Amino acid sequence: MAFERSAGVLLHPTSLPGQHGIGTFGACARAFVDFLAASGQTLWQMCPLGPTGYGNSPYQSFSAFAGNALLIDLDVLVEGGWLAASDLEGAPDFPGERVDYPAAIACKMPLLRKAAANLATCDDALDRLRLDLFGDAHKGWLEDYAFFAALKDHFGGGSWCEWEDGIRRRQPEAMAHYSGELADEIRLQEALQYFFFSQWQKLKQYANDKGVKIIGDIPIFVAADSADAWAHPELFEFDEDFRPIRVAGVPPDYFCATGQLWGNPLYDWERARATKFAWWIERIQACLAMSDIVRIDHFRGFVGCWAVPADHPTAEHGTWEPALGRELFEAVSHELGELPIIAEDLGVITPEVEELRDSNGFPGMKILQFAFDSAEDNDFLPHNYPANSVVYTGTHDNDTSHGWYHGASSKDKQFARDYLDATARNVAWKFIRAAWASTSVMAIAPLQDILGLGNEARTNV
């Protein structure tokens, strides 16, 4: 797909300022959109918006389709009559610099559940109709997710692999029993998703009306402990007890001597082919309904992924296993048409990965922080960029530009200063200037770089 030349900012909504310990889709998000528009920026990129599990990483979500309830704005719920203003009184003081997840969860979840219960049990016919219509529109994933979330709460938060055998295997008698026993909790979970998507769609519309497009994010893999794995175990490499046989990661490299062991279950690509990639089509379609453009994380995994035996403690002893990316994207584009996708093509990139990216017209990614550790032929130096690429000063996985500079070797610092005409004080803005001036069709900077923040503001380590 051909993109227009544009630029913007990477910021996950959780990082926005918020009165209840975490950023939301409320006034703080609209103010950020106003800032982007006033600054002439037309892109807002964020990480995945799904409900997070242990560690609160958006790349280890309980669902590839559902939304993170913590992003629901409580003030908007008060405006809608689902909470009383007095419900928000007495909130604790939260740290201003970062999210204290346990404290934010302890403060918000009881209030979110109260609002959801008010909606799920309300007498107003129109409100009940809206909730029912939402359920019908998202039935393909919502029923499984709401049931999964209710079961997870019922079983004390444990992984679905540890649940009772009948419900773990989705046997009809167990499914009927628990769907009745947990009916109220299932309805409450559906109401939470209704609030999430209602607020998100209003925010997205607000951004689009201001000329700002949303760049969403699809992690290639899903978490082993997820509604997707429980509802569709046949799509993954599981043993008879639904435990991963092999898990995903990346091999040892310059950055990590033992590689990265992510632990996500691998896909059974032959099964995906047999289903004509129906789950993938539904997944990408759902993400495109939420976003204007989508970045696909670990794109190289659609050609081959690093498969590590599930019982290994590190990623050192894996093998590259082929995937069916060409067939997958042919099926997706046949169903959905042109795909506004950015390919995260970082890591061990082969000619086959480049061919899959280029044959689909997907722009790849260029990271300026990777540019200054070698010579003039480095592919990450701006004068080497193809036009069909997206340049980032850094991503959520990198240090901030100031943090990178102060941790770099003397040789790399000198190269960066010479190439960018930079000093230690203005290096972040020189990174931004080089990105914006490059031939890349899109340029993105994390908000940390615009604010000139150092290592203390790094998102992910």
Side-chain angles (χ1 to χ4, degrees):
M1 181 173 184
F3 291 102
E4 294 181 357
R5 188 168 167 84
S6 50
V9 176
L10 167 61
L11 181 75
H12 198 47
T14 55
S15 295
L16 291 163
Q19 293 183 342
H20 299 95
I22 191 169
T24 72
F25 296 152
C28 55
R30 293 192 298 275
F32 183 64
V33 169
D34 293 342
F35 160 74
L36 291 174
S39 306
Q41 304 307 297
T42 57
L43 301 172
W44 178 4
Q45 180 166 339
M46 51 192 66
C47 299
L49 298 174
T52 56
Y54 177 78
N56 302 294
S57 168
Y59 294 91
Q60 292 286 352
S61 176
F62 289 135
S63 171
F65 297 85
N68 186 348
L70 290 175
L71 292 168
I72 298 169
D73 189 81
L74 297 180
D75 290 320
V76 174
L77 295 181
V78 171
E79 293 169 6
W82 303 114
L83 289 174
S86 58
D87 289 329
L88 307 191
E89 295 175 357
D93 291 329
F94 292 98
E97 292 75 26
R98 61 187 64 246
V99 178
D100 181 341
Y101 277 96
I105 291 169
C107 173
K108 288 196 69 171
M109 283 312 299
L111 296 171
L112 290 169
R113 291 179 65 84
K114 181 177 182 179
N118 288 337
L119 171 59
T121 59
C122 72
D123 294 327
D124 186 89
L126 182 57
D127 286 325
R128 293 182 69 87
L129 177 61
R130 286 173 178 151
L131 181 57
D132 290 339
L133 290 174
F134 171 78
D136 291 340
H138 297 272
K139 186 175 183 179
W141 62 266
L142 182 61
E143 288 184 353
D144 284 327
Y145 172 72
F147 201 177
F148 173 87
L151 286 163
K152 197 164 185 64
D153 182 70
H154 176 76
F155 288 111
S159 169
W160 68 274
C161 293
E162 309 298 333
W163 296 350
E164 294 174 3
D165 192 63
I167 194 62
R168 180 163 55 96
R169 298 182 183 277
R170 295 173 63 90
Q171 294 175 351
E173 286 187 7
M175 293 285 282
H177 168 75
Y178 280 110
S179 64
E181 180 179 340
L182 303 177
D184 290 344
E185 179 66 20
I186 292 170
R187 186 70 168 175
L188 186 147
Q189 292 294 336
E190 292 174 346
L192 284 175
Q193 291 303 305
Y194 171 83
F195 286 143
F196 174 93
F197 280 92
S198 296
Q199 291 193 11
W200 169 252
Q201 291 300 335
K202 289 178 181 177
L203 175 60
K204 182 180 181 297
Q205 188 61 56
Y206 185 84
N208 290 166
D209 289 345
K210 294 274 186 173
V212 175
K213 292 182 178 180
I214 302 296
I215 302 180
D217 197 318
I218 296 180
I220 183 174
F221 298 113
V222 302
D225 188 20
S226 66
D228 312 284
W230 174 64
H232 304 285
E234 71 280 359
L235 296 179
F236 303 93
E237 288 192 4
F238 287 143
D239 64 18
E240 63 275 9
D241 291 320
F242 303 119
R243 299 186 186 278
I245 299 170
R246 298 183 298 177
V247 296
V250 291
D253 58 18
Y254 173 81
F255 299 100
C256 187
T258 60
Q260 297 179 35
L261 188 65
W262 298 336
N264 305 81
L266 299 182
Y267 296 107
D268 183 334
W269 284 107
E270 290 301 326
R271 178 62 182 174
R273 171 192 273 160
T275 63
K276 299 181 180 179
F277 304 99
W279 180 84
W280 274 103
I281 292 169
E282 183 181 358
R283 184 186 186 191
I284 293 175
Q285 184 177 35
C287 196
L288 288 173
M290 293 182 66
S291 311
D292 300 295
I293 303 167
V294 175
R295 186 195 85 123
I296 296 187
D297 192 53
H298 197 59
F299 181 80
R300 74 99 53 238
F302 291 108
V303 171
C305 55
W306 188 247
V308 183
D311 59 352
H312 283 211
T314 71
E316 293 172 270
H317 304 294
T319 55
W320 286 108
E321 295 297 324
L324 299 178
R326 176 179 290 280
E327 293 181 41
L328 165 66
F329 287 109
E330 285 177 355
V332 174
S333 61
H334 176 75
E335 290 293 325
L336 305 181
E338 277 196 309
L339 301 173
I341 283 174
I342 297 169
E344 187 268 287
D345 55 345
L346 307 175
V348 182
I349 303 304
T350 64
E352 291 79 10
V353 178
E354 294 174 346
E355 197 279 331
L356 179 63
R357 177 198 65 201
D358 295 343
S359 65
N360 285 281
F362 301 153
M365 289 175 54
K366 300 296 181 182
I367 312 299
L368 260 174
Q369 287 182 25
F370 296 168
F372 303 107
D373 59 358
S374 61
E376 292 284 324
D377 60 351
N378 187 318
D379 289 341
F380 292 101
L381 285 167
H383 66 267
N384 293 322
Y385 294 169
N388 194 33
S389 63
V390 184
V391 56
Y392 296 78
T393 58
T395 74
H396 63 281
D397 282 330
N398 302 117
D399 205 338
T400 67
S401 291
H402 270 297
W404 171 86
Y405 179 83
H406 290 291
S409 68
S410 298
K411 180 181 178 182
D412 293 349
K413 287 181 182 178
Q414 186 62 55
F415 188 5
R417 288 196 299 269
D418 292 344
Y419 189 92
L420 300 171
D421 187 26
T423 66
R425 286 184 58 122
N426 68 8
V427 66
W429 275 102
K430 290 294 186 176
F431 266 64
I432 293 169
R433 178 183 175 86
W436 263 240
S438 75
T439 58
S440 291
V441 70
M442 286 183 267
I444 308 286
L447 187 64
Q448 292 97 318
D449 285 354
I450 292 171
L451 297 176
L453 299 175
N455 177 264
E456 75 286 350
R458 180 172 180 167
T459 298
N460 181 33
V461 294

